[in-house]
């Protein structure tokens, strides 16, 4: 039939290969790099090589100064992530999804190698920046590519798997830290963990050329025959079928109606309310970071060892075990995201995380020091927080940003929202050592309050997108006149949809037609 082979796979098998060969290694690498550095900060070999970040063998003013330096160096990784994500606002539509993902993985691999081979403090700093640029680039692009090749009725569960892989990476980084902790007085104890994630980059780079490009991007750039071949493989239809021809016509019509496809359109407020939608996408990612997850992920080992008074081995075992809760939380999100919806998962999770942070503030107070019961409760709260975060925020906010983004500026909105992740990731990595050092357990109270504020914010401002085509999401905002309207309009449309459309589940011939019409248009 003249089809371009994609590993000899078609339909669901091809989608599963995309997840296994690109989404899994990239987001596992992302999670791994979030956690692995924190476990190295307490290694004697690491502190001997980089004494300016040593907070274990120092006290008083020197410890305070080193805490600041430590936070800055760890946070520089997120500064690179900001620039990597923002670059995709322009490169995502100019080069295509696959080229950007390949290039970002290459940069990430270079960053890993530079870190692992560092003998000088300056090289380590540069390596952190390079690593961040690479990871920022692919975290802004992979969810867009994934959503554009996923079936409409499975878009939520497919993209939310990102959270499972992030959790797996976090846990893997902590367990590797634990294993190499026993390699005493040898730089391999920290060089190997920093070099290891380059394996994930190699897997992704080797796989990307054999997987399909986004059909939407191909149509937008005039590569119609290639788009036909991609849709034929994804939908298991003939390339010249009427169904695929109709989809291509619909996408071309939508692009013509949209007009301005420049990434700068995201800052306009016409009938489509592009800026409003970009603002909500970025706010969701702001919530993902400011709930406080990375003060725990980055500094898990340090929290257990320095602030809960555990010995080095026990601290590492608990930190690594805590990371294992994230994949389970991601699995729960996988099975509930398309049933319960986005808003319930975010609101319930934020409320529960607020309780966890409040419990941590109380159980780690000076009055509780030396008592076993508060220590046990604090550990339970840390475990619960990691699990709950993955259910409601880890992969969900990446999904939500892609769903809110209209056709013509999806790459730009994804880039801006992912840059928001990195901006506040940087803030937390920078201030957390200082926060613990200056206000101790009261640092948790800040995040208890922020999580409590997230609950009404989601309820009043964020519309439900569960089960909706991208065109229906467009209509929610087209019918909205202010920032409070989208949730109300979404509820009203849902009532109308239930009464007028008996089957939108994707089952039967009607469901498949909806899948072809709606998802490839996405």
């Amino acid at each position: 039939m003249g089809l371009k082979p994609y590993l000899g796979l078609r339909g669901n098998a091809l989608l599963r290969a995309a997840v296994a060969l690109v989404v899994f290694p990239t987001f596992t690498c992302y999670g791994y790099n979030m956690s692995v550095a924190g476990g190295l900060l307490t290694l004697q070999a690491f502190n001997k090589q980089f004494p300016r970040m040593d907070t274990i063998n120092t006290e008083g003013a020197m410890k305070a100064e080193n805490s600041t330096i430590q936070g800055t160096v760890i946070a520089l990784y997120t500064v690179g992530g900001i620039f990597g994500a923002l670059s995709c606002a322009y490169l995502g539509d100019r080069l295509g999804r696959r080229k950007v993902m390949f290039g970002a993985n290459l940069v990430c691999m270079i960053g890993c190698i530079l870190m692992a081979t560092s003998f000088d403090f300056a090289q380590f700093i540069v390596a952190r920046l390079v690593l961040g640029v690479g990871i920022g680039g692919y975290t802004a692009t992979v969810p867009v590519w994934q959503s554009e090749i996923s079936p409409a009725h499975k878009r939520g569960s497919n993209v939310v798997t990102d959270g499972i892989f992030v959790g797996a990476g976090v846990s893997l980084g902590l367990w590797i830290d634990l294993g190499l902790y026993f390699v005493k007085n040898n730089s391999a104890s920290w060089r190997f963990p920093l070099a290891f994630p380059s394996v994930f980059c190699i897997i992704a780079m080797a796989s990307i050329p054999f997987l399909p490009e986004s059909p939407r991007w191909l149509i937008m750039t005039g590569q119609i025959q290639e788009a036909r071949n991609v849709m034929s493989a994804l939908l298991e239809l003939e390339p010249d079928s009427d169904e695929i021809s109709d989809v291509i016509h619909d996408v071309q019509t939508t692009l013509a109606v949209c007009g301005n496809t420049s990434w700068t359109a995201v800052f306009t407020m016409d009938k489509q309310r592009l800026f409003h939608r970009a603002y909500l996408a970025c706010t969701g990612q702001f919530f993902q970071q400011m709930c406080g997850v990375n003060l725990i992920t980055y500094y898990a080992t340090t929290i257990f060892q320095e602030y809960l008074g555990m010995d080095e081995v026990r601290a590492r075992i608990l930190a690594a075990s805590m990371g294992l809760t994230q994949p389970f939380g991601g699995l729960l999100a996988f099975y509930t995201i398309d049933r319960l919806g986005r808003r319930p998962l975010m609101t319930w999770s934020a409320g529960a995380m607020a309780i966890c942070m409040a419990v941590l503030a109380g159980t780690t107070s000076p009055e509780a020091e030396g008592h076993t019961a508060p220590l046990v409760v604090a550990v339970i709260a840390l475990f619960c927080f990691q699990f709950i975060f993955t259910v409601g925020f880890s992969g969900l906010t990446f999904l939500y940003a892609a769903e809110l983004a209209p056709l013509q500026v999806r790459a730009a909105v994804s880039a801006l929202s992912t840059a928001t992740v990195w901006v506040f990731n940087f803030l937390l990595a920078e201030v957390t050592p200082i926060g613990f050092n200056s206000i101790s357990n009261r640092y948790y109270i800040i995040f208890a309050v922020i999580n409590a504020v997230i609950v009404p914010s989601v309820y009043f401002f964020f519309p439900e997108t569960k089960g909706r085509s991208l065109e229906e999401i467009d209509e929610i905002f087209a019918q909205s006149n202010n920032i409070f309207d989208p949730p109300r309009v979404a509820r009203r449309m849902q009532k109308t949809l239930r009464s007028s459309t008996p089957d939108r589940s994707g089952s039967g011939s009607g469901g498949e037609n909806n899948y072809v019409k709606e998802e490839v248009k996405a």
Side-chain angles (χ1 to χ4, degrees), residues 442-463:
R442 295 189 296 277
Y443 187 57
Y444 294 113
I445 298 175
I446 297 171
F447 300 97
V449 173
I450 291 174
N451 279 294
V453 171
I454 290 174
V455 175
S457 299
V458 171
Y459 181 83
F460 286 111
F461 300 110
F462 286 65

Side-chain angles (χ1 to χ4, degrees), residues 50 52 118-129:
F50 305 111
R52 297 184 66 184
S118 293
F119 286 90
D120 185 79
F121 191 48
Q123 180 180 335
F124 190 82
I125 291 172
V126 172
R128 294 290 292 175
L129 282 168

Side-chain angles (χ1 to χ4, degrees), residues 92-110:
D93 284 334
R94 184 172 180 83
L95 300 180
R97 315 308 189 217
R98 291 194 307 176
K99 287 182 179 178
V100 171
M101 291 189 299
F102 186 94
N105 273 281
L106 178 61
V107 173
C108 177
M109 184 179 69
I110 292 171

Side-chain angles (χ1 to χ4, degrees), residues 197-377:
S198 59
V199 173
F200 296 117
C201 301
I202 293 170
I203 293 172
M205 287 190 293
S207 305
I208 287 168
F210 301 100
L211 293 169
E213 179 58 271
S214 159
R216 174 261 180 185
W217 181 81
L218 291 169
I219 296 170
M220 187 174 68
T221 54
Q223 302 177 62
I224 304 303
Q225 187 56 49
E226 181 64 15
R228 286 183 180 276
N229 292 339
V230 170
M231 286 186 283
S232 174
L234 291 171
L235 304 174
E236 298 187 88
L237 296 170
E238 292 292 332
D240 297 322
S241 66
D242 291 339
E243 292 92 339
I244 289 180
S245 295
D246 289 343
V247 170
I248 291 174
H249 177 266
D250 287 345
V251 173
Q252 291 173 325
T253 301
T254 303
L255 287 169
V257 170
C258 291
N260 181 16
T261 58
S262 169
W263 68 272
T264 57
V266 76
F267 299 106
T268 62
M269 271 290 282
D270 56 8
K271 184 179 179 180
Q272 295 185 75
R273 301 184 69 83
L274 300 184
F275 180 74
H276 181 188
R277 297 162 75 168
Y279 172 78
L280 286 179
C282 292
T283 302
Q285 299 285 45
F286 164 81
F287 290 160
Q288 186 210 66
Q289 290 300 304
M290 291 308 292
C291 68
V293 64
N294 277 338
L295 78 91
I296 294 172
T297 302
Y298 278 138
Y299 299 103
T301 304
T302 303
I303 288 173
F304 284 119
Q305 186 172 333
E306 287 194 47
Y307 304 118
L308 294 183
M310 297 181 181
D311 61 74
E312 294 179 333
V313 175
R314 186 177 298 177
R316 281 172 168 76
I317 292 174
L318 284 174
S321 300
M322 184 175 67
L324 287 174
T325 64
Q326 290 201 18
F328 291 106
L331 283 173
L332 180 59
F334 177 84
Y335 287 109
T336 57
I337 187 71
D338 287 323
R339 292 176 174 84
L340 300 179
R342 287 52 162 160
R343 279 162 47 98
L345 289 188
M346 283 195 285
T347 52
W348 297 343
S349 296
M353 287 190 296
I355 294 172
C356 290
M357 284 293 184
V359 169
L360 282 169
T363 54
T364 58
S365 65
E367 291 78 10
E369 188 173 345
H371 297 281
T372 303
L375 177 62
V376 171
V377 174

